[in-house]
Amino acid sequence: MAEQTKRPVKITETILRDAHQSLIATRMTTEEMLPIIDKMDKVGYHSVECWGGATFDASLRFLKEDPWERLRKLKAGFKNTKLQMLFRGQNILGYRHYADDVVEYFVQKSVANGIDIIRIFDALNDLRNLECAVKAANKEKAHSQVAISYTLGDAYTHEYYISMAKRIEEMGADSICLKDMAGLLVPYEATSLITELKEAVKIPIQLHTHYTSGVAAMTYMKAVEAGCDVIDTAMSPFSMGTSQPATEVMVETFKGTPYDTGFDQQLLAEIADYFRPMRDEALASGLLNPKVMGVDIKTLLYQVPGGMLSNLVSQLKEQKAEDKYYEVLKEIPRVRKDFGEPPLVTPSSQIVGTQAVLNVLAGERYKMLTKESKAVLRGEYGQTVKPFDPEVQKKAIGDDKPITCRPADLLEPELKKIEAEMIQYKEQDEDILSYALFPQVATEFFKYRQAQKTKVDQTIADTANGAYPV
């Protein structure tokens, strides 16, 4: 083989966000993260994904932690590594669309507290829902990465992905991520798609996938050979299954090739040793279900992401209708088609999944429609790649006029109003944003924080860092 020019693949480490979100319901605490940061900082990662996604909600709701405080502590520890977050466009990290002033302020505060790279996606791939966040990230001098949710279906051709990529580049994004949340991208398809994307745009291309269907590591290999610049991996104790391929495995795979990362396996082994007991404990306590560690090729048949499958099973269990599992699996692609064939990713996956369950249990399709289904069919989430089924839409919204503009254009600025509502709890500007996204959960957390302070022994309170040992 002729001497190839060196083109080391860059790696984004997901263990502090997507890996524990995918495997142990986002339950890793800040205290568990901090002791290993020093070693992680020496690896030479392109970035560490450590914030956004479900971490914000889970920190407040289950861990009784301030997500902003977590970000500041991580920033203090990572001296050489860029910090990355996942951001749901106009939904920020919540489940509804927010007014532009909230989106702008959230981006500003994320960057001020330590985020370097913001990966922005929209569940419907409606780029109008990303414009505000991209502009805000560029204004704050952060790296704005737009993620295209990868899925399969008649509408999702190479032409579709290439035209999306070109529009993203024109929009002013710094890079593109192909976000394959269900592990649907197979190896040779990755070769041809990445090759065409690299020819179509000049900005870097990153690939994100999950191991759910069992092909992810091979897909990464083919993508990197085709010119992919960055891949997302997770340290081995929290890799595979519904998480990402293992960091050490990909590092070893490219060793001695033009794509060699140059990472030190000894250092990676020490980091893995740190996380392994956490994994063992999660298994022992039942937090890590061995089911999510297997390969489920049904993902490719029904295009259902792993997290959505486990949701379905629990919904059917509650209704004592587990025997209807395969019926629901067959109904999902039909509902998805009626709803304009959106990619199945938060929140569209939950909306389509729940509607499919209702259709099967009621024995009649769309006899009952959830309010989220109605919102989708009214256009409140934005535009789908294909039109809605007109009859289903009529059933949902009657003679109401559907929304065709960018949904956020209909929203009044809401930051001032939100601040007025929660002013009694405000201890830092960021609290306004926590409340904006999760009013009830944040209020509970603020009350908890208040209560902890009244119990604190002032002689040991580290007020400078806002740490209050109880």
Side-chain angles (χ1 to χ4, degrees):
M1 194 171 125
E3 182 57 42
Q4 271 182 286
T5 44
K6 284 198 161 53
R7 194 170 58 69
V9 62
K10 295 175 177 157
I11 288 188
T12 291
E13 175 59 62
T14 67
I15 190 151
L16 301 184
R17 204 284 299 176
D18 201 358
H20 73 104
Q21 180 176 320
S22 296
L23 295 181
I24 57 165
T26 333
R27 295 297 201 277
M28 200 182 287
T29 66
T30 306
E31 293 315 310
E32 287 175 318
M33 297 173 183
L34 296 178
I36 196 63
I37 285 180
D38 196 40
K39 279 185 178 162
M40 287 180 71
D41 198 29
K42 294 187 175 85
V43 172
Y45 290 121
H46 166 68
S47 65
V48 168
E49 192 199 43
C50 60
W51 212 61
T55 62
F56 199 93
D57 182 4
S59 296
L60 291 167
R61 191 185 299 260
F62 303 115
L63 307 175
K64 292 289 177 259
E65 281 187 15
D66 178 11
W68 300 99
E69 191 55 33
R70 169 180 296 188
L71 178 52
R72 292 190 281 265
K73 285 178 174 169
L74 292 173
K75 189 61 181 176
F78 281 108
K79 310 247 187 298
N80 314 300
T81 312
K82 290 192 153 90
L83 300 188
Q84 182 169 328
M85 76 171 291
L86 182 67
F87 193 100
R88 297 190 196 120
Q90 214 64 33
N91 293 354
I92 311 180
L93 304 173
Y95 299 100
R96 69 170 176 92
H97 278 228
Y98 293 88
D100 288 346
D101 61 342
V102 182
V103 174
E104 285 158 7
Y105 195 47
F106 200 98
V107 169
Q108 190 189 327
K109 283 298 181 193
S110 301
V111 177
N113 282 285
I115 289 295
D116 302 289
I117 301 172
I118 305 185
R119 177 180 291 171
I120 308 161
F121 80 99
D122 175 68
L124 305 184
N125 282 340
D126 184 343
L127 295 182
R128 300 173 307 172
N129 294 333
L130 307 177
E131 283 161 8
C132 176
V134 170
K135 278 194 190 112
N138 291 347
K139 186 181 165 198
E140 298 304 322
K141 306 274 186 287
H143 176 110
S144 60
Q145 178 178 82
V146 170
I148 306 173
S149 298
Y150 178 81
T151 188
L152 304 172
D154 305 340
Y156 299 97
T157 58
H158 280 208
E159 292 71 44
Y160 169 85
Y161 289 114
I162 283 152
S163 95
M164 285 280 290
K166 287 178 171 163
R167 285 166 60 201
I168 289 165
E169 188 172 45
E170 281 159 22
M171 208 166 160
D174 296 305
S175 65
I176 292 171
C177 171
L178 201 55
K179 179 178 159 63
D180 177 15
M181 54 281 166
L184 301 174
L185 182 62
V186 292
Y188 288 103
E189 175 56 24
T191 301
S192 63
L193 184 56
I194 297 288
T195 303
E196 288 183 36
L197 285 170
K198 286 301 289 181
E199 283 165 9
V201 295
K202 291 189 176 56
I203 55 178
I205 294 191
Q206 182 156 0
L207 180 57
H208 169 92
T209 189
H210 291 253
Y211 219 97
T212 325
S213 62
V215 297
M218 294 181 281
T219 296
Y220 274 168
M221 191 173 172
K222 287 306 200 187
V224 169
E225 288 170 356
C228 177
D229 302 280
V230 196
I231 54 175
D232 288 11
T233 64
M235 286 304 299
S236 56
F238 284 91
S239 70
M240 318 271 281
T242 48
S243 174
Q244 279 74 47
T247 306
E248 305 95 309
V249 173
M250 296 320 299
V251 166
E252 197 60 28
T253 299
F254 294 120
K255 200 172 162 186
T257 73
Y259 319 111
D260 196 332
T261 59
F263 289 3
D264 174 356
Q265 283 286 20
Q266 192 44 52
L267 177 61
L268 292 175
E270 289 169 25
I271 296 169
D273 287 344
Y274 176 81
F275 285 108
R276 202 164 291 111
M278 275 186 222
R279 178 206 160 94
D280 295 343
E281 199 179 310
L283 265 171
S285 71
L287 189 56
L288 175 56
N289 180 340
K291 262 198 182 123
V292 301
M293 299 309 299
V295 162
D296 194 346
I297 201 70
K298 280 196 209 72
T299 309
L300 294 174
L301 295 178
Y302 302 109
Q303 294 152 43
V304 177
M308 186 175 164
L309 276 179
S310 51
N311 256 351
L312 278 183
V313 173
S314 67
Q315 280 182 345
L316 290 171
K317 235 191 191 127
E318 274 170 33
Q319 303 292 329
K320 307 223 182 329
E322 284 158 283
D323 56 321
K324 302 271 197 270
Y325 180 66
Y326 287 101
E327 260 181 81
V328 171
L329 276 186
K330 289 193 181 85
E331 177 63 9
I332 286 169
R334 302 215 296 258
V335 172
R336 183 177 170 230
K337 229 180 173 80
D338 294 339
F339 284 19
E341 227 171 295
L344 295 179
V345 62
T346 307
S348 56
S349 50
Q350 289 85 332
I351 298 171
V352 168
T354 305
Q355 190 58 55
V357 169
L358 282 181
N359 286 1
V360 168
L361 295 184
E364 181 191 322
R365 305 186 73 225
Y366 305 112
K367 184 177 179 178
M368 288 147 59
L369 277 143
T370 64
K371 70 176 199 304
E372 290 79 10
S373 291
K374 288 179 182 171
V376 167
L377 293 162
R378 195 179 291 115
E380 280 177 38
Y381 285 91
Q383 195 176 11
T384 47
V385 55
K386 287 193 147 179
F388 301 130
D389 179 288
E391 280 173 37
V392 176
Q393 187 182 32
K394 181 131 180 83
K395 221 172 196 177
I397 67 168
D399 295 325
D400 288 0
K401 224 174 139 49
I403 296 167
T404 52
C405 64
R406 180 184 78 116
D409 287 342
L410 303 172
L411 300 174
E412 295 290 321
E414 52 182 335
L415 209 50
K416 291 262 185 296
K417 184 175 133 272
I418 289 166
E419 182 173 10
E421 263 177 42
M422 56 74 65
I423 197 75
Q424 69 193 86
Y425 300 114
K426 183 179 156 186
E427 289 181 15
Q428 54 174 359
D429 290 341
E430 289 80 359
D431 289 342
I432 303 168
L433 291 162
S434 303
Y435 179 86
L437 297 191
F438 303 105
Q440 285 155 317
V441 175
T443 303
E444 289 299 304
F445 171 74
F446 297 149
K447 287 178 180 165
Y448 168 84
R449 182 172 67 182
Q450 218 37 62
Q452 294 308 327
K453 281 186 191 171
T454 51
K455 287 186 223 163
V456 165
D457 174 354
Q458 287 306 328
T459 52
I460 57 162
D462 173 1
T463 39
N465 293 314
Y468 301 94
V470 177

